[in-house]
Amino acid sequence: MADRLAPYAALLASRVRSQATYGRSFALDVLGSAGVGIFEFAEVYIIFANVDALGGLDFAGVAMVFALANLAFALADLTVGHLDQLPTYLRAGTLDAFLLRPLPVLAQLVTSDISLRRLGRAMVALVILGVVLPLNDIDWTGARIALLVIAPLAGAAIFAALFVLAGAVQFWLVEGGDFTAAFTYGGSYAASFPASVFAMPMRVLFTFVVPATFVAYLPTLVLLDLPGPVGLPQWLGWTTPVAAAGIWSLAALGWNAGLRHYTGAGS
Amino acid sequence: MFASGFRRWATYRGAMAAGAFTNTVFGLIRAYITVGAIGAAGGTLAGYDAKAGITYAFLAQALIAPVNIFTWNELALRVRTGDVAIDLARPVDPQLAYLASDLGRAAYSLVPRGAPPLFAGAVVFGLSMPAAVLPYLLGAASLLLAVMVSFACRWLANLAAFWLLDVRGVMMLYVLASGLLSGHLLPVHWFPDWLAAIARATPFPSIMQTPIDVVTGRAAGVDALALIGVQVGWLVVTLIAGRLVFAAGTRKLVVQGG
Amino acid sequence: MIISVKDLRREFVIRAPTGRIWRNRTTVHAVDGLSFDIAPGSSVGYIGANGAGKSTTIKMLTGILVPTSGTVRTCGLHPVKQRKALARRIGVVFGQRSQLWWDLPLRQSYRTLAAIHRLPAAERTARQGELVERLDLADFLDTPVRQLSLGQRIRGEIAAALLHSPELLILDEPTIGLDVLSKERLRVFLAEQRASHGTTLLLTTHDMDDVQRLCDRILVVDHGRLAYDGTLPGLVTRVGVDRVLTLDLNKPSPPLTGIPFTRLVDVEPDGLRQRLAFSPQETTAAAVLAEVGGRTDVRDLTIEEPDIEDVVRRLYLASPAPPR
């Protein structure tokens, strides 16, 4: 197993090394990424400077939703965020180089870059989470603790799948980057707030089409032991990994179809 | 230069449609969040009822492209590569030339990027826009000024390239600050006092908050004219600052040989 | 057979805008019924004009592109279905596109490739050492690839392609843009590899010297079809291609007409530089030179080989293709 992972470790190691060589600039990038996280949180902060609740959750609750969503997104962005820039790789002929190597193309694309600077945003999310977790009145059981750990990881998997789909779409729509952003970045935005503020169609869209609410809001309902809004019962909060598996199978299908289209199998 | 700016962006049809789609999605999400907050506040927040809040959210999305609230680093890149020398050699003033080009770009993107979010907002929610003509006339003037103020600010930010090797930090800071303080994320009127004070000390609210306030009629008559006056003031200040800093930068470039 | 191609076809549908709204759909037959076999250990030159279908064929041989119809087997494998297995057994170098990591030194690239191909450390060290020595890479092994000159980069790419000791090496325009010395060194190296390791060589090129020095078989492709399959001397015979001798004379001379088996192509006004064309079947450069030397003093000379476009054009003049 270690033998099979060795090439990927080598590919990633070389990216990490090349990013670490730009020391000061890298530190600046991490800071910038953290800045993004802080400014996004400002939206939550400003709202709660005016009101006491949003979508049935108080500040601590909304902050937790925000933090879980941001953490998941930052982790995904870190590992596969570059996938929605597929046209860049197509133009450089990188995909052909991947096809000439004895490894799966998607795995090579994923390990071809890692944006360590996104750790800044992940850190901010972790700090916010650390601060508001005790502020929330959570009845900690073993299952809830496990959920707290699993939710951001499964959430990251969901966003990662969205990035893969965003890449796959661009095998067909080469200028589609701005379009897929509606689902990747839009999904992240939708996941950061309680889905109870959405009307039904939107709620359904961002739960069962783009599984954004599975990332943070539904697990939060479980952690806080609150009933969900119409259409989103609390128990769905336990099924984030299932949602992740679902969106990943779609992503895998989409990616394979895209690759087949690129190699001309479709035409 | 206006025409060439217009024409250059006319080739990005696909990107326009894609951008408009994303703006619309973000507008929808933001509208719901705004309504949620207003509802929690008991129906009005800082003078915005639900409809007004929704209208604000969609206008904030519709205006993203024309006022170009996000990245623009063309000038910084040209300074880095030395291409700025070409701009200096031309018989037109660089700042005004870029301004004209930017206005062309804004004009081109106004309808393709602006209409879809507004249309979606009107269909899904219904927007509350004034019935009279005057707010629209004043709004157009305010929008024109907003585009120019935005340009002047971005121009200034790009000038950091004369002194810094890597301007990414500056540009990142600019995008974050302008995104928040212009009222793009949430109305400045919702800010806690200390943050509102900071915002008003910058030209950023003139880029988005002001034109939206004027065109929706929230600031009417004399108030609207006052806000427009503030925009003019900021425009003058930022343009002049831009000219002075640019001159200093080119002097440095010429002396040091780039 | 290490490469087996039967009735291979590849079409592309191009949407060309004519005017503002309407778009014409045209079908381009990039590869139009190719058939050939290549035996292991041979060295084949694959030549043709730009757009003749060379790169498209290479892509289909290596699994980057799927044929529209026909069959292709490389190393006995289906290039698309068995892509990964095939990648372990072939090496590919694109002269105009790099497969190396741009910001890393060659040494790092080789280490990564060794991991990708699961080469045991001992094998990698030995093979890398051999390649570094033969291709003279030691001086810039630690320089990032983006700082290398074209010649250095190509050598690095070739070493990368040979690191895992593939049975088949495919080179797409490897000598393009290189100076004469580098080209020659590369050719010597490739011939050596073939001799010592039995590596099959498939080389696409515009340079007839490449073909002459390296290949014992030529495939000429034109408009997606095979126009000639044989040896270089055979091609020369078939087409009757001329070489051109450019002579710089010591003092102004009258035009050098009437030298046996030559054709005076060009004379500069003062007669100091003259160009003579001759067919290598009928005479040699040495013989022509001797004749010229008998009439006047030659200060300097260059020999031009016929270019591919010329060869192909003449090939079709000699035996026109059947109408489509």
Side-chain angles (χ1 to χ4, degrees):
Chain A
M1 183 62 179
D3 174 50
R4 300 198 61 196
L5 290 179
Y8 303 116
L11 285 167
L12 277 174
S14 67
R15 297 319 312 156
V16 173
R17 212 174 295 127
S18 115
Q19 281 179 32
T21 55
Y22 299 105
R24 215 180 100 233
S25 154
F26 175 68
L28 216 67
D29 282 339
V30 173
L31 227 62
S33 163
V36 171
I38 294 173
F39 271 83
E40 299 220 332
F41 188 63
E43 192 176 351
V44 178
Y45 177 80
I46 292 173
I47 290 177
F48 278 92
N50 290 282
V51 300
D52 291 324
L54 183 67
L57 294 178
D58 63 358
F59 174 69
V62 175
M64 191 155 78
V65 173
F66 178 88
L68 285 172
N70 259 247
L71 180 61
F73 188 75
L75 290 174
D77 203 4
L78 177 101
T79 45
V80 301
H82 52 285
L83 246 62
D84 65 357
Q85 303 301 314
L86 187 76
T88 316
Y89 295 94
L90 293 180
R91 273 191 292 269
T94 316
L95 229 69
D96 287 353
F98 288 163
L99 285 164
L100 292 171
R101 295 198 197 123
L103 294 172
V105 175
L106 183 59
Q108 291 184 66
L109 190 55
V110 168
T111 52
S112 72
D113 202 0
I114 183 168
S115 309
L116 285 176
R117 62 182 179 277
R118 314 266 189 224
L119 279 173
R121 195 160 163 193
M123 291 297 164
V124 168
L126 274 172
V127 166
I128 295 177
L129 193 62
V131 168
V132 299
L133 220 48
L135 293 179
N136 279 302
D137 204 7
I138 300 179
D139 180 20
W140 288 110
T141 64
R144 287 216 174 87
I145 294 176
L147 183 64
L148 183 65
V149 173
I150 291 176
L153 295 173
I158 289 177
F159 284 127
L162 288 176
F163 273 113
V164 171
L165 275 170
V169 163
Q170 291 179 73
F171 277 120
W172 287 278
L173 293 177
V174 179
E175 276 192 44
D178 286 340
F179 169 74
T180 59
F183 299 101
T184 49
Y185 294 92
S188 162
Y189 191 35
S192 312
F193 287 88
S196 40
V197 301
F198 297 147
M200 265 312 265
M202 199 75 159
R203 218 180 282 166
V204 168
L205 173 70
F206 278 112
T207 306
F208 299 107
V209 178
V210 176
T213 55
F214 281 100
V215 174
Y217 178 61
L218 291 171
T220 302
L221 287 180
V222 171
L223 289 173
L224 298 178
D225 197 15
L226 290 173
V230 177
L232 296 180
Q234 189 203 81
W235 61 264
L236 280 179
W238 295 103
T239 61
T240 304
V242 175
I247 192 80
W248 257 103
S249 39
L250 193 66
L253 283 173
W255 177 262
N256 284 325
L259 205 55
R260 276 202 308 277
H261 175 82
Y262 177 73
T263 59
S267 33
Chain B
M1 284 235 55
F2 176 95
S4 80
F6 193 103
R7 227 178 298 126
R8 216 170 72 183
W9 282 81
T11 59
Y12 290 82
R13 267 178 316 188
M16 286 281 151
F21 176 74
T22 304
N23 287 155
T24 307
V25 171
F26 270 86
L28 285 167
I29 299 174
R30 205 157 275 169
Y32 282 117
I33 295 172
T34 311
V35 167
I38 292 175
T44 43
L45 221 176
Y48 288 89
D49 64 7
K51 265 257 173 80
I54 291 168
T55 308
Y56 187 92
F58 281 104
L59 277 169
Q61 287 299 313
L63 292 182
I64 287 181
V67 306
N68 198 3
I69 200 138
F70 295 126
T71 323
W72 177 74
N73 50 14
E74 187 184 338
L75 180 65
L77 284 172
R78 288 179 78 83
V79 169
R80 249 249 303 254
T81 60
D83 284 347
V84 69
I86 303 173
D87 299 325
L88 290 169
R90 289 213 186 106
V92 282
D93 177 87
Q95 192 190 39
L96 296 179
Y98 275 95
L99 175 60
S101 177
D102 197 55
L103 282 171
R105 179 204 53 77
Y108 178 72
S109 58
L110 182 63
V111 173
R113 295 286 296 269
L118 288 176
F119 181 71
V123 165
V124 175
F125 297 97
L127 303 175
S128 70
M129 296 291 283
V133 174
L134 188 61
Y136 294 100
L137 290 176
L138 291 175
S142 182
L143 181 60
L144 179 63
L145 286 167
V147 173
M148 292 198 282
V149 172
S150 170
F151 166 78
C153 290
R154 280 177 282 119
W155 173 267
L156 262 173
N158 269 243
L159 294 178
F162 278 116
W163 288 272
L164 293 177
L165 203 58
D166 185 1
V167 291
R168 272 181 315 176
V170 172
M171 295 317 298
M172 170 85 79
L173 199 62
Y174 176 82
V175 169
L176 294 176
S178 67
L180 180 67
L181 301 176
S182 65
H184 168 71
L185 218 54
L186 291 169
V188 178
H189 304 289
W190 289 19
F191 286 9
D193 294 331
W194 60 273
L195 195 59
I198 294 178
R200 298 224 165 84
T202 69
F204 296 128
S206 293
I207 296 178
M208 207 165 251
Q209 185 72 51
T210 302
I212 295 182
D213 280 353
V214 172
V215 82
T216 53
R218 183 195 167 92
V222 178
D223 295 332
L225 289 172
L227 282 177
I228 289 179
V230 170
Q231 280 183 306
V232 172
W234 275 117
L235 182 62
V236 168
V237 166
T238 48
L239 276 179
I240 292 181
R243 299 187 77 74
L244 292 173
V245 176
F246 185 73
T250 52
R251 228 177 299 132
K252 173 180 178 291
L253 201 67
V254 167
V255 164
Q256 292 196 351
Chain C
M1 291 296 152
I2 201 166
I3 291 182
S4 177
V5 169
K6 242 193 299 279
D7 207 23
L8 195 63
R9 278 171 217 280
R10 176 69 221 184
E11 289 164 11
F12 292 108
V13 177
I14 311 278
R15 284 185 189 77
T18 54
R20 263 142 147 276
I21 307 171
W22 302 113
R23 288 174 181 220
N24 247 343
R25 290 185 62 163
T26 46
T27 309
V28 172
H29 299 273
V31 171
D32 199 11
L34 276 182
S35 297
F36 58 84
D37 291 319
I38 296 180
S42 48
S43 173
V44 178
Y46 195 53
I47 68 178
N50 279 328
K54 303 196 296 291
S55 293
T56 310
T57 314
I58 301 286
K59 287 185 179 178
M60 288 193 280
L61 286 172
T62 53
I64 295 177
L65 196 59
V66 170
T68 312
S69 69
T71 55
V72 51
R73 294 284 178 273
T74 314
C75 298
L77 301 170
H78 188 302
V80 174
K81 297 208 177 105
Q82 297 168 288
R83 177 184 71 81
K84 291 191 261 289
L86 181 60
R88 293 196 190 286
R89 293 165 62 171
I90 64 174
V92 185
V93 177
F94 289 108
Q96 289 165 310
R97 256 188 311 172
S98 177
Q99 291 179 66
L100 298 173
W101 289 270
W102 211 232
D103 49 356
L104 290 180
L106 282 175
R107 201 192 292 275
Q108 285 300 334
S109 294
Y110 297 149
R111 190 173 303 162
T112 311
L113 281 168
I116 289 176
H117 285 280
R118 307 205 206 139
L119 295 179
E123 191 185 323
R124 170 178 76 82
T125 328
R127 189 75 174 122
Q128 188 175 313
E130 180 193 339
L131 291 166
V132 166
E133 193 206 314
R134 292 257 173 271
L135 283 165
D136 210 6
L137 307 175
D139 286 336
F140 48 89
L141 209 54
D142 292 302
T143 317
V145 170
R146 66 166 187 268
Q147 289 175 11
L148 298 177
S149 72
L150 179 63
Q152 292 171 329
R153 179 173 75 70
I154 295 284
R155 277 146 57 195
E157 301 258 4
I158 293 187
L162 289 170
L163 196 65
H164 57 288
S165 306
E167 305 157 29
L168 169 64
L169 181 64
I170 299 180
L171 303 137
D172 193 9
E173 310 263 7
T175 59
I176 207 166
L178 293 181
D179 61 271
V180 171
L181 192 62
S182 304
K183 284 194 201 196
E184 189 52 36
R185 290 215 309 236
L186 208 57
R187 291 175 197 143
V188 166
F189 168 79
L190 289 171
E192 222 177 61
Q193 275 297 301
R194 198 179 146 220
S196 59
H197 296 271
T199 321
T200 310
L201 230 52
L202 176 60
L203 170 70
T204 73
T205 182
H206 267 117
D207 191 330
M208 286 302 254
D209 278 336
D210 282 348
V211 176
Q212 196 160 30
R213 303 277 285 109
L214 276 179
C215 308
D216 46 40
R217 182 172 163 207
I218 305 186
L219 299 170
V220 179
V221 61
D222 188 61
H223 288 94
R225 299 200 223 144
L226 209 56
Y228 177 80
D229 180 356
T231 60
L232 182 56
L235 181 63
V236 167
T237 312
R238 165 107 160 251
V239 165
V241 189
D242 283 351
R243 305 171 81 198
V244 175
L245 193 59
T246 303
L247 298 161
D248 286 323
L249 306 174
N250 258 330
K251 50 188 197 299
S253 299
L256 293 164
T257 52
I259 299 191
F261 304 117
T262 70
R263 199 168 31 96
L264 188 61
V265 179
D266 191 29
V267 181
E268 290 204 353
D270 49 13
L272 272 178
R273 175 174 281 195
Q274 309 199 24
R275 298 171 73 224
L276 296 167
F278 65 94
S279 167
Q281 301 162 253
E282 295 172 359
T283 183
T284 62
V288 174
L289 199 55
E291 266 292 327
V292 173
R295 295 197 199 180
T296 179
D297 278 332
V298 176
R299 188 171 56 82
D300 200 0
L301 63 92
T302 40
I303 301 184
E304 281 163 47
E305 303 297 337
D307 67 85
I308 300 284
E309 323 264 344
D310 225 15
V311 170
V312 174
R313 205 179 329 124
R314 279 163 161 267
L315 192 63
Y316 274 87
L317 287 176
S319 53
R324 176 124 246 285

